Amino acid sequence: MCESLLEAHAIKPTANRILVAKTLAEAELPMSLSELEYKILSIDKSGVFRALTLFREHHLVHVLEDGGDGVRYELCHSHDGHEHDDDQHIHFYCEQCHRTFCIHDIPIPPVPLPEGYRLSSINYMAKGICPACGKKAK
């Protein structure tokens, strides 16, 4: 599956790239570079970063600020490597457990920009307390 996904985004499927894509595909939540590095012990940090940079250039990953002070990555489920992304969705950052969740059921609302501006991407991050942390507080 990951090999065909890489090829659909015009990325040569090397062993490292397949491993990074597979790890992101299996992740329940968007992952940071350090989380990927910890999960993939066979590739050093620079190798993981190079793969992520290439994935970003070919629109295979979403890159999002996690609501804290870091960046997280998740696979983009668009069909190809073109600039249009049909997989944009809201993210929720829990201020208590510091996890970032994908909220797929709520699309990002359209943003009407003034004339002359061209939107290439959008990052919609809501912040608060996730359901699990909310239950712990009661």
Side-chain angles (χ1 to χ4, degrees):
M1 174 218 144
C2 286
E3 288 182 47
S4 59
L5 184 61
L6 290 169
E7 290 171 349
H9 286 263
I11 299 171
K12 183 180 177 183
T14 65
N16 284 358
R17 293 172 187 164
I18 292 168
L19 188 53
V20 172
K22 183 178 179 187
T23 303
L24 287 170
E26 293 171 351
E28 292 180 17
L29 303 172
M31 298 181 76
S32 68
L33 177 59
S34 60
E35 289 169 337
L36 280 164
E37 181 187 15
Y38 178 77
K39 192 95 169 160
I40 306 171
L41 299 175
S42 61
I43 307 173
D44 65 7
K45 187 175 188 173
S46 64
V48 174
F49 184 75
R50 281 193 304 273
L52 291 171
T53 300
L54 183 65
F55 292 177
R56 182 178 188 175
E57 290 169 358
H58 288 261
H59 305 280
L60 180 59
V61 292
H62 293 291
V63 180
L64 53 125
E65 295 176 16
D66 71 1
D69 59 355
V71 174
R72 295 191 171 271
Y73 303 87
E74 67 178 342
L75 275 185
C76 175
H77 297 285
S78 291
H79 304 293
D80 56 37
H82 294 102
E83 286 187 35
H84 177 70
D85 182 1
D86 59 2
D87 183 36
Q88 293 185 347
H89 53 272
I90 292 174
H91 293 93
F92 185 89
Y93 175 76
C94 179
E95 295 172 322
Q96 191 164 339
C97 67
H98 308 288
R99 293 185 295 167
T100 302
F101 300 88
C102 296
I103 311 293
H104 292 282
D105 299 343
I106 303 172
I108 292 178
V111 178
L113 294 173
E115 189 176 324
Y117 289 88
R118 228 175 57 187
L119 185 67
S120 63
S121 69
I122 192 163
N123 185 358
Y124 194 99
M125 179 70 68
K127 296 180 184 180
I129 304 296
C130 73
C133 291
K135 287 179 184 177
K136 290 177 192 175
K138 289 182 180 181

